[in-house]
């Protein structure tokens, strides 16, 4: 049976998380996702924006990752897709004025396809005239446009709010991704089993932005209980993240990422209560590998033979913990020395999205491999999404 197909409608300076989290999560769950942008073709890139709510009266913006498209807008046939996903950010402001975009969205709606829309993405729905009489929520400043377009506005009580109205599923911001993705998968006929798992993330300052948020929200979307902890921090504290990208230089570039909120207190964590451990990459593993409490935590999961998923520079922690001897694994190529000197067999990540499973250990080289990384962890945990 052919996989369900979803179209992700992109544009320059769409919100970084609001493009990549659904793009990679849905692929990890077995769906085919095509990302397109008007005026661009497959392999072109869209710039993205990091939007955050802090102490100011509106969100701040910095430049995010470069997002690579994998399909061509002019070749899209709406009838061949099962659903449409509209990210937010600033892109919808101009996409809403492109006739081809409005025509495409109208076609999806007329065919009764499932629609997921988040943040500012509703500007496109309003321009297409398809929200009249529909209940929806969005980022609050979009309210006047939706009301003028005839929508029944639902005030978001939190920035994670999600509203379902028939084939239209809407959310206020990327904090609502877990519920939005969950509803979307179910609307497409997906059934999730084996999701009653507790998963722990070891976080640190300047971990890679995607490498924490994408797997974290993907696992939440499946229905798992997911906690994120960081040494010397408690629940409600935050970690700054780093955007590591590949822009033609001899190594990755770095830009400031989103701020990631922790959900539990490191000193209170009992690892025996968790079914799996996830270690994001970025720069944080360099110093977390020196923390004896982190090392002890990692050793517990290996001694208990529980699933451990580590990506990019996360393997620096595994190397320091002495748990890689005799194992087969990959990592970001610059970490190969750590892996080999720790007694592991190096597996070349070719392409960079390649991930590997060796008994209870899943390893990946970098965030482009998230779909494989997440799906392989799901397999170890016995979590399935079937259509």
């Amino acid at each position: 049976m052919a996989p369900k197909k979803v179209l992700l409608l992109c544009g320059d300076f769409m919100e970084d998380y609001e493009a990549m989290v659904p793009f990679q999560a849905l692929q990890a769950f077995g769906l085919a996702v095509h990302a397109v942008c008007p005026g661009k073709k497959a392999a072109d890139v869209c710039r993205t924006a990091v939007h955050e709510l802090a102490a100011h009266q509106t969100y701040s913006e910095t430049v995010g990752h470069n997002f690579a498209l994998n399909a061509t807008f002019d070749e899209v046939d709406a009838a061949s897709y099962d659903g449409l996903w509209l990210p937010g950010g600033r892109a919808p402001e101009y996409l809403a004025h492109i006739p081809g975009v409005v025509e495409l969205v109208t076609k999806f709606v007329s065919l009764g396809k499932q629609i997921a829309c988040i943040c500012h993405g509703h500007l496109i729905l309003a321009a297409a005239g398809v929200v009249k009489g529909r209940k929806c929520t969005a980022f609050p400043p979009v309210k006047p446009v939706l009301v003028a377009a005839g929508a029944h506005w639902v005030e978001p009580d939190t920035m994670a709010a999600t509203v379902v109205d028939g084939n239209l599923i809407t959310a206020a911001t990327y904090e609502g991704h877990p519920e939005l993705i969950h509803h979307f998968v179910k609307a497409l006929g997906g059934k999730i089993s084996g999701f009653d798992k507790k998963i722990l993330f070891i976080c640190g300052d300047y971990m890679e932005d995607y490498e924490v948020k994408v797997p974290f929200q993907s696992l939440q979307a499946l229905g798992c209980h997911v906690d994120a902890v960081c040494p010397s921090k408690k629940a409600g504290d935050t970690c700054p993240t780093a955007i590591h990208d590949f822009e033609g230089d001899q190594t990755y570039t770095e830009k400031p990422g989103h701020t990631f909120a922790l959900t539990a207190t490191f000193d209170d964590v009992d690892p025996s209560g968790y079914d799996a451990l996830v270690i994001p990459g970025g720069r944080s593993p360099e110093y977390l590998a020196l923390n004896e409490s982190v090392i002890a935590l990692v050793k517990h999961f290996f001694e208990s033979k529980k699933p451990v998923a580590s990506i990019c520079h996360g393997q620096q922690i595994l190397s320091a913990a002495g748990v890689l001897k005799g194992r087969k694994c990959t990592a970001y190529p610059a970490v190969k020395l750590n892996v080999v000197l720790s007694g592991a067999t190096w597996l070349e990540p070719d392409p960079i999205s390649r991930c590997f499973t060796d008994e209870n250990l899943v390893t990946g080289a970098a965030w482009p491999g998230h779909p494989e990384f997440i799906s392989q962890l799901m397999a170890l945990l016995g979590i399935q999404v079937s259509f």
Side-chain angles (χ1 to χ4, degrees):
M1 182 178 177
K4 298 284 186 178
K5 284 176 59 179
V6 174
L7 187 70
L8 185 78
L9 185 54
C10 303
D12 285 333
F13 297 104
M14 58 190 172
E15 212 290 326
D16 200 353
Y17 279 167
E18 291 173 6
M20 189 57 81
V21 173
F23 182 70
Q24 292 191 318
L26 294 172
Q27 289 181 79
F29 302 163
L31 289 83
V33 187
H34 293 169
V36 299
C37 174
K40 301 191 182 190
K41 59 185 184 302
D44 287 347
V45 300
C46 285
R47 305 289 297 280
T48 70
V50 171
H51 286 170
E52 287 209 293
L53 289 171
H56 307 292
Q57 292 185 341
T58 189
Y59 55 88
S60 62
E61 178 177 313
T62 54
V63 176
H65 294 80
N66 293 316
F67 184 97
L69 305 169
N70 63 353
T72 300
F73 182 85
D74 291 342
E75 298 173 358
V76 168
D77 175 14
S80 69
Y81 290 89
D82 300 287
L84 174 67
W85 193 288
L86 300 175
R90 286 196 292 108
E93 293 177 344
Y94 80 87
L95 292 176
H97 296 276
I98 298 176
V101 169
V102 172
E103 181 182 346
L104 181 64
V105 171
T106 302
K107 183 70 171 177
F108 268 90
V109 173
S110 68
L111 291 171
K113 306 289 186 177
Q114 296 296 327
I115 312 290
C117 187
I118 192 166
C119 192
H120 287 73
H122 308 72
L123 296 172
I124 301 173
L125 298 180
V130 296
V131 292
K132 187 174 183 179
R134 307 298 297 268
K135 290 187 292 184
C136 60
T137 195
F139 189 60
V142 183
K143 174 182 176 180
V145 172
L146 287 173
V147 171
H152 293 307
W153 172 255
V154 178
E155 192 69 30
D157 52 352
T158 72
M159 289 298 99
T162 301
V163 172
V164 180
D165 182 9
N167 68 326
L168 177 62
I169 310 168
T170 55
T173 71
Y174 53 73
E175 297 302 343
H177 273 151
E179 189 174 352
L180 183 63
I181 295 169
H182 185 83
H183 282 307
F184 190 66
V185 169
K186 287 181 63 178
L188 292 173
K191 294 182 175 60
I192 304 169
S193 60
F195 57 85
D196 55 338
K197 303 294 190 297
K198 286 187 69 177
I199 301 162
L200 184 66
F201 278 60
I202 295 183
C203 301
D205 289 346
Y206 299 105
M207 57 190 166
E208 211 288 327
D209 197 10
Y210 280 165
E211 289 173 5
V212 62
K213 196 70 165 186
V214 174
F216 190 87
Q217 290 196 317
S218 297
L219 293 165
Q220 287 183 315
L222 292 168
C224 300
H225 177 95
V226 190
D227 278 327
V229 297
C230 175
S232 303
K233 298 192 182 189
K234 60 185 185 300
D237 288 348
T238 61
C239 288
T241 69
I243 288 173
H244 287 170
D245 217 340
F246 310 97
E247 301 179 290
D249 304 293
Q250 291 185 338
T251 188
Y252 54 86
T253 59
E254 179 169 308
K255 298 186 282 284
H258 297 79
T259 300
F260 184 86
L262 303 169
T263 63
T265 300
F266 185 87
D267 290 342
D268 295 341
V269 164
D270 176 5
S272 66
Y274 291 89
D275 300 294
L277 176 69
V278 177
I279 306 176
R283 286 196 292 106
S284 60
E286 291 181 340
Y287 79 87
L288 292 176
L290 305 176
N291 187 302
E292 291 301 322
S293 295
V294 169
I295 297 302
L297 191 65
V298 169
K299 286 182 175 179
H300 164 84
F301 281 88
F302 275 87
E303 290 166 358
S304 303
K305 300 188 185 305
K306 295 178 181 180
V308 175
S310 183
I311 194 165
C312 193
H313 287 70
Q315 285 79 309
Q316 291 175 319
I317 299 175
L318 301 183
S319 176
V323 296
L324 290 181
K325 189 173 183 179
R327 307 303 293 266
K328 299 175 182 178
C329 72
T330 194
Y332 187 67
V335 184
K336 180 177 179 179
L337 185 62
N338 302 66
V339 171
V340 172
L341 290 178
S342 67
T345 298
W346 174 257
L347 300 175
E348 194 66 35
D350 185 17
I352 198 70
S353 59
R354 185 82 187 274
C355 296
F356 298 92
T357 298
D358 179 36
E359 297 180 9
N360 68 317
L361 176 62
V362 176
T363 54
W367 56 257
H370 276 149
E372 282 191 27
F373 184 72
I374 296 164
S375 64
Q376 289 183 28
L377 176 59
M378 288 169 58
L380 288 182
L381 288 167
I383 302 172
Q384 291 185 318
V385 180
S386 56
F387 290 90

